């Protein structure tokens, strides 16, 4: 998405540059002492999952960093480099757009201002302890450490959240769009499915008085936003298990003994682009409320690795306005404003969610100004279930089309406030006994009259009104079963059926009516499509033909697909399968694959299914899984309020360590839709213990 920006950076490099040589290695000896003073033990269970036990919360954060570095140090380092704006020093020209963005958005201004303003001493302590854990690992494994990256600091850790957060709601795409050759959208005038699932069931709908929660985000299977499973336990009351991304010092979503929560991506309108009216006599001035204001101009040094130790540094101007960052392009001068701009409180919020003991404490945490978006599903030991359309959603002036570009010459378009927490769409303990969100509208969270009403929310908020197939199936399955058992809840989570009310039947009818040639292979394929049962179970026939065809068209909306283009995509699919398999009649799992190391496994599930699997088309006729169900956690509180949970990761706990027995040991269970137990008590963990050590002890060090 940044390729267009890369071309601009290349021009900058050609225009003004300076050569420097950087040392290939850093002296890490001084960091060896980062560990003493932390009282922490890492207990890895038989699946390699780290259970980090510390005396204090800071001890736990230190141990978490060390354990995660053992499994995925490369990605954590990439995260630190990206947040610093130094990614191109290691990865060259392709990474320069990231570094430019860091300067453009003034990420480090935010960190330096907000580190003490937005974060409590407790959270700063865990961020600094996490950095110490990384420093200790780097000191003990210097051959793995990037040059000039360490020591890491607590501010580095926080910068990762400031850097990554706006990417979830598409700010990088907006920037890339502006780097096009011409203005892509009109200016508004004033007038008079990545995916994820969360499901929760209360005792009002469960068979035996239980409460169920599905934590089921659909993340990429590799890279900086890949889930890592952990359990964190301190003597200061931190006892949470779940998933987090590389570089994060807290559980992102999961559960503790008392409650749990899960996120899915929502899509309120969180980014605005303003067209500035510049002074013809001075392009660094722009009109605002009748006055010419000066752009704040800075020089941003961007250093790019060219070859070996040779680096190339360019100094490029970045500008700032009353709205925020500014891009000066041939087709106009643009300012951006986005949710959470200038804030750095995400880890403060997540930390308190991790440690909350009940609904009241958890709601106090989620209402903090931290995460700028996400649907949230919640459940607890008391039987409460809750849905929140979370977001820092700007309160905007009525009358403008805020989905277009805005005039940047008036304070009317300069929003400064967010919708208050209590006014966000939310549903607490509905009479139906369940809530769901699968990247869909909050207006159909459950059955009955307790759903939020669309007329209560301004169109300027940009709240979704659509239902995904996953949401339709969740409503159909949960809504038709008044007495849900734990096994049924698991079965529903792994549903592999397309709803008759979703888009898939329309796609099928379009294929059947497309202008297709009358040859034997195509006609055989059409018969498979005609008899298809709308499922993507491993053995289903016809699924592969339909999904491959639609993926070739990027799953465009039905109304956007031309019959001739659909016909050609279907014919190409038939030819691909005939060449790859010798037949068009291919079981879905023969095409849909999970590949990891030496494993090559067939899998069910597919795009926009509750058992979601999204694959990349390969030349050999296979779809290789890249995203979808990843870390899945299913949580149950029994009628007495006691918790147990089961989880599964698409690969295993050792994300990048190809030599580890846990590099892909969960994959065979994953493709069979089986889960492993989550052990929370130290006695349970020790009954399934593989290794116990303090950071450094595994190398014979004396930490």
């Amino acid at each position: 998405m940044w390729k267009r920006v890369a071309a601009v950076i290349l021009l900058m490099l050609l225009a003004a540059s300076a050569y420097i040589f950087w040392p290939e290695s850093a002296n890490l000896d001084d960091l060896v002492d980062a560990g003493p003073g932390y009282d922490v033990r890492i207990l890895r269970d038989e699946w390699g999952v780290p259970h980090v036990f510390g005396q204090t919360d800071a001890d736990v954060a230190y141990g978490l960093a060390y354990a995660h570095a053992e499994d995925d140090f490369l990605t954590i380092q990439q995260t630190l480099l990206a947040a610093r704006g130094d990614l191109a020093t290691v990865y060259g020209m392709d990474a320069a757009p990231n570094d430019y963005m860091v300067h453009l958005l003034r990420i480090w201004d935010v960190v330096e201002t907000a580190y003490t303003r937005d974060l409590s001493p407790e959270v700063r302590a865990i961020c600094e302890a996490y950095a110490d854990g990384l420093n200790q690992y780097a000191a003990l494994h210097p051959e793995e450490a990037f040059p000039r990256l360490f020591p890491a600091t607590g501010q580095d850790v926080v910068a990762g959240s400031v850097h990554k957060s706006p990417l979830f709601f598409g700010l990088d795409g907006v920037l890339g769009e502006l780097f096009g050759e011409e203005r892509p959208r009109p200016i508004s005038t004033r007038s008079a499915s990545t995916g994820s699932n969360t499901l929760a069931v209360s005792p009002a709908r469960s068979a035996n008085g239980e409460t169920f929660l599905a934590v089921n985000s659909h993340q990429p299977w590799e890279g900086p936003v890949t889930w890592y499973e952990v359990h964190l336990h301190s003597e200061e009351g931190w006892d949470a298990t779940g998933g987090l991304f590389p570089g994060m010092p807290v559980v992102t979503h999961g559960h503790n003994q008392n409650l749990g929560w899960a996120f899915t991506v929502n899509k309120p309108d969180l980014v605005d682009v303003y067209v500035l009216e510049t002074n013809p006599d001075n392009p660094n001035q722009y009109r605002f409320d009748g006055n010419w204001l000066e752009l704040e101009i800075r020089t941003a040094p961007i250093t790019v690795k060219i070859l070996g130790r040779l680096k190339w540094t360019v100094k490029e101007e970045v500008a700032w306005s009353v709205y925020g960052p500014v891009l000066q392009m041939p087709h106009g001068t643009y300012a951006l404003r986005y949710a959470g701009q200038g804030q750095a409180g995400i880890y403060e919020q997540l930390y308190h969610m991790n440690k909350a003991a009940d609904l009241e404490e958890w709601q106090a945490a989620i209402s903090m100004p931290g995460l700028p978006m996400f649907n949230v599903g919640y459940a607890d030991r008391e039987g409460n279930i809750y849905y929140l359309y979370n977001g820092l959603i700007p309160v905007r002036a009525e009358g403008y089309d805020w989905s277009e570009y805005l005039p940047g010459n008036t304070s009317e378009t300069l929003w400064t406030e967010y919708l208050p927490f209590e006014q966000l769409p939310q549903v607490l303990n509905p009479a139906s006994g369940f809530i769901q969100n699968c990247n869909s509208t909050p207006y159909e969270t459950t059955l009955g009259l307790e759903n939020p009403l669309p007329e209560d929310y301004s169109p300027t908020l940009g709240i979704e009104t659509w239902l995904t197939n996953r949401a339709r199936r969740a409503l159909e399955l949960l809504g038709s079963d008044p007495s849900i058992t734990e096994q049924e809840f698991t079965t529903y989570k792994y549903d592999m059926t397309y709803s008759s009310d979703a888009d898939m039947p329309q796609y099928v009818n379009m294929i059947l009516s497309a202008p297709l040639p009358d040859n034997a292979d195509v006609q055989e394929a059409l018969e498979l499509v005609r008899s298809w049962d709308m499922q993507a179970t491993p053995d289903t026939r016809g699924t592969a033909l339909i999904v491959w065809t639609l993926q070739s068209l990027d799953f465009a909306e039905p109304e956007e697909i031309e019959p001739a283009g659909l016909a050609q995509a279907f014919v190409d699919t038939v030819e691909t399968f005939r060449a790859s398999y010798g037949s068009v009649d291919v079981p879905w799992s023969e095409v849909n694959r999970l590949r990891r190391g030496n494993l090559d496994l067939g899998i069910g599930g597919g795009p926009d299914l509750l058992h979601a699997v999204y694959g990349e088309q390969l030349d050999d006729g296979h779809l290789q899984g890249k995203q979808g169900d990843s870390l899945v956690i299913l949580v149950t509180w029994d009628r007495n309020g006691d918790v147990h949970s089961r989880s599964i990761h698409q690969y295993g706990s050792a994300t990048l360590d190809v030599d580890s027995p846990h590099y892909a040991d969960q994959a065979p269970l994953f493709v069979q839709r089986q889960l492993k137990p989550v052990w929370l008590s130290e006695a349970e963990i020790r009954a399934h213990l593989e290794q116990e050590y303090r950071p450094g002890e595994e190398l014979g060090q004396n930490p």
Side-chain angles (χ1 to χ4, degrees):
M1 62 182 65
W2 273 96
K3 293 298 183 185
R4 286 172 288 183
V5 189
V8 176
I9 302 294
L10 177 59
L11 294 176
M12 298 191 307
L13 289 171
L14 294 174
S17 60
Y19 291 102
I20 58 173
F21 285 88
W22 280 15
E24 281 300 313
S25 60
N27 185 354
L28 300 175
D29 293 343
D30 292 342
L31 301 182
V32 174
D33 294 331
Y38 291 104
D39 184 3
V40 62
R41 295 170 293 125
I42 299 169
L43 281 67
R44 289 192 181 260
D45 65 31
E46 61 193 38
W47 294 100
V49 174
H51 303 257
V52 184
F53 281 73
Q55 190 67 31
T56 67
D57 293 348
D59 294 337
V60 168
Y62 168 83
L64 164 62
Y66 193 93
H68 200 169
E70 289 182 285
D71 295 333
D72 200 359
F73 193 42
L74 175 62
T75 310
I76 293 173
Q77 291 184 92
Q78 291 167 340
T79 297
L80 296 176
L81 282 170
R84 279 190 186 175
D86 286 339
L87 202 58
T89 65
V90 174
Y91 291 100
M93 180 62 207
D94 287 346
N98 168 84
D99 299 351
Y100 176 74
M101 184 187 76
V102 169
H103 290 285
L104 178 70
L105 302 185
R106 297 190 174 184
I107 283 175
W108 277 89
D109 281 31
V110 175
V111 173
E112 290 167 3
T113 299
Y115 191 67
T116 56
R117 183 196 68 197
D118 294 353
L119 302 177
S120 64
E122 293 83 2
V123 173
R124 294 199 302 272
I126 68 169
C127 292
E128 288 154 15
Y130 185 93
D132 281 344
L134 297 181
N135 293 333
Q136 179 76 346
Y137 185 86
L140 297 178
H141 302 80
E143 72 285 356
E144 298 180 36
F146 286 148
R148 300 176 62 90
L149 178 56
F150 297 96
T153 68
Q155 290 191 342
D156 281 315
V157 176
V158 172
S161 69
V162 178
H163 171 266
K164 198 172 293 182
S165 173
L167 305 185
F168 270 95
F169 52 80
L171 182 62
D172 51 340
V174 174
L175 289 169
E177 181 181 87
L178 289 172
F179 274 93
E181 295 181 359
E182 57 185 33
R183 182 177 299 164
R185 284 191 259 167
I187 304 173
S188 173
T189 58
R190 189 171 178 114
S191 63
S193 166
T194 31
S196 297
N197 308 325
T198 181
L199 316 171
V201 173
S202 77
R205 204 171 192 91
S206 65
N208 301 300
E210 306 107 326
T211 303
F212 305 131
L213 174 68
V215 181
N216 183 205
S217 170
H218 299 157
Q219 289 300 116
W221 289 0
E222 298 176 6
V225 287
T226 299
W227 289 121
Y228 182 72
E229 184 178 8
V230 298
H231 170 216
L232 309 176
H233 180 99
S234 82
E235 298 304 313
E236 294 182 334
W238 194 2
D239 189 15
T241 185
L244 51 81
F245 298 146
M248 297 187 73
V250 292
V251 168
T252 306
H253 69 176
H255 70 94
N256 58 34
Q257 297 282 350
N258 301 305
L259 55 85
W261 68 99
F263 295 123
T264 80
V265 170
N266 59 356
K267 294 188 176 180
D269 185 359
L270 301 182
V271 183
D272 290 318
V273 178
Y274 303 86
V275 181
L276 300 184
E277 178 187 344
T278 56
N279 187 342
D281 299 322
N282 183 353
N284 288 335
Q285 289 184 335
Y286 63 102
R287 187 182 297 277
F288 185 76
D289 283 349
N291 300 310
W292 292 114
L293 302 183
E294 294 283 341
L295 290 173
E296 298 178 35
I297 305 294
R298 292 185 181 178
T299 299
I302 300 171
T303 301
V304 180
K305 178 180 179 179
I306 303 301
L307 183 66
R309 295 170 56 197
L310 180 64
K311 306 290 191 297
W312 201 351
T313 296
V314 59
K315 294 182 178 181
E316 175 64 9
E317 287 188 347
V318 289
W320 194 267
S321 69
V322 294
Y323 295 100
V326 172
L327 290 172
Q328 296 170 299
M329 305 302 298
H331 46 75
T333 300
Y334 304 92
L336 295 98
R337 194 165 185 81
Y338 57 92
Q341 186 171 305
Q343 298 182 4
I346 290 175
Y347 292 154
E348 184 77 28
Q349 184 179 53
L350 289 173
Y351 172 74
H352 288 286
M353 291 165 66
N354 276 224
K355 296 190 71 171
D358 55 32
L359 175 61
E360 183 178 1
E361 289 185 7
W362 188 87
Q363 283 186 314
I366 194 64
S367 65
M368 292 177 175
L371 293 162
M373 57 180 295
F374 298 116
N375 299 289
V376 195
Y378 167 97
D380 66 29
R381 65 181 302 166
E382 303 297 328
N384 295 304
I385 60 172
Y386 176 59
Y387 163 77
L388 171 67
Y389 188 90
N390 182 59
L392 296 174
I393 306 178
V395 177
R396 300 176 170 101
E398 300 287 344
Y400 293 96
D401 183 351
W402 291 86
S403 66
E404 304 294 352
Y405 292 170
L406 286 309
N409 59 5
T410 171
S411 54
E412 274 193 342
T413 59
L414 179 61
W415 49 262
T416 58
E417 298 178 353
Y418 297 114
L419 192 69
F421 174 79
E422 59 273 11
Q423 294 182 27
L424 294 170
Q426 47 198 292
V427 177
L428 174 62
N429 292 330
S432 66
F434 77 91
I435 59 97
Q436 64 77 36
N437 187 273
C438 303
N439 308 109
S440 49
T441 181
Y443 305 137
E444 296 188 58
T445 294
T446 189
L447 302 180
L449 301 177
E450 294 155 293
N451 283 305
L453 298 175
E455 55 265 32
D456 291 341
Y457 300 92
S458 168
T460 66
L461 304 177
I463 295 175
E464 305 93 311
T465 58
W466 62 79
L467 283 175
T468 59
N469 176 77
R470 289 169 288 116
R472 292 182 188 277
R473 287 298 293 164
L475 289 166
E476 291 167 1
L477 293 166
L478 299 176
S480 63
D481 187 345
S483 182
I484 300 172
T485 65
E486 185 176 60
Q487 181 55 56
E488 288 170 333
F489 186 71
T490 304
T491 300
Y492 297 156
K493 181 270 152 295
Y494 282 109
D495 179 69
M496 293 176 276
T497 301
Y498 288 100
S499 170
S500 59
D501 293 327
D503 287 339
M504 188 58 78
Q506 186 175 350
Y507 286 127
V508 170
N509 290 332
M510 291 172 66
I511 293 173
L512 294 175
S513 59
L516 291 163
D518 187 16
N519 67 57
D521 285 340
V522 170
Q523 293 306 310
E524 182 185 359
L526 281 175
E527 272 307 306
L528 288 166
V529 172
R530 191 172 288 111
S531 60
W532 185 48
D533 61 3
M534 295 288 170
Q535 295 193 53
T537 58
D539 297 330
T540 305
R541 310 284 175 139
T543 309
L545 288 165
I546 295 165
V547 172
W548 189 284
T549 298
L550 295 175
Q551 186 154 329
S552 299
L553 300 169
D554 296 323
F555 276 91
E557 296 293 331
E559 59 271 17
E560 297 174 356
I561 296 177
E562 295 292 334
L566 178 61
Q568 187 59 58
F570 189 74
V571 169
D572 291 346
T573 299
V574 169
E575 292 175 353
T576 295
F577 283 17
R578 173 60 70 180
S580 298
Y581 305 103
S583 172
V584 296
D585 188 3
V586 186
W588 176 226
S589 61
E590 191 169 338
V591 175
N592 202 34
R593 311 298 292 181
L594 183 154
R595 290 175 171 173
R596 178 72 161 175
N598 295 324
L599 290 179
D600 186 352
L601 306 172
I603 187 172
D608 201 17
L609 292 171
L610 286 170
H611 181 25
V613 177
Y614 300 86
E616 175 187 0
Q617 290 178 330
L618 303 181
D619 292 340
D620 64 2
H622 290 105
L623 283 166
Q624 181 173 341
K626 294 292 184 181
Q627 186 167 340
D629 278 356
S630 41
L631 175 62
V632 178
I633 307 172
L634 300 185
V635 193
T636 297
W637 285 271
D638 64 25
R639 63 169 61 247
N640 298 317
D642 296 327
V643 66
H644 75 266
S645 62
R646 297 164 294 149
S647 69
I648 196 68
H649 188 278
Q650 78 277 2
Y651 294 148
S653 69
T655 310
L656 290 186
D657 184 0
V658 296
D659 296 322
S660 169
H662 306 299
Y663 180 65
D665 61 337
Q666 295 184 45
L669 292 180
F670 182 83
V671 301
Q672 294 295 325
R673 300 168 300 285
Q674 298 177 11
L675 299 103
K676 60 179 182 58
V678 173
W679 297 298
L680 295 176
S681 73
E682 186 167 353
E684 286 181 316
I685 297 163
R686 290 192 176 281
H688 301 275
L689 188 64
E690 179 178 88
Q691 185 183 15
E692 177 182 1
Y693 56 98
R694 297 180 184 275
E697 278 184 348
E698 79 284 3
L699 299 176
Q701 301 289 323
N702 184 20

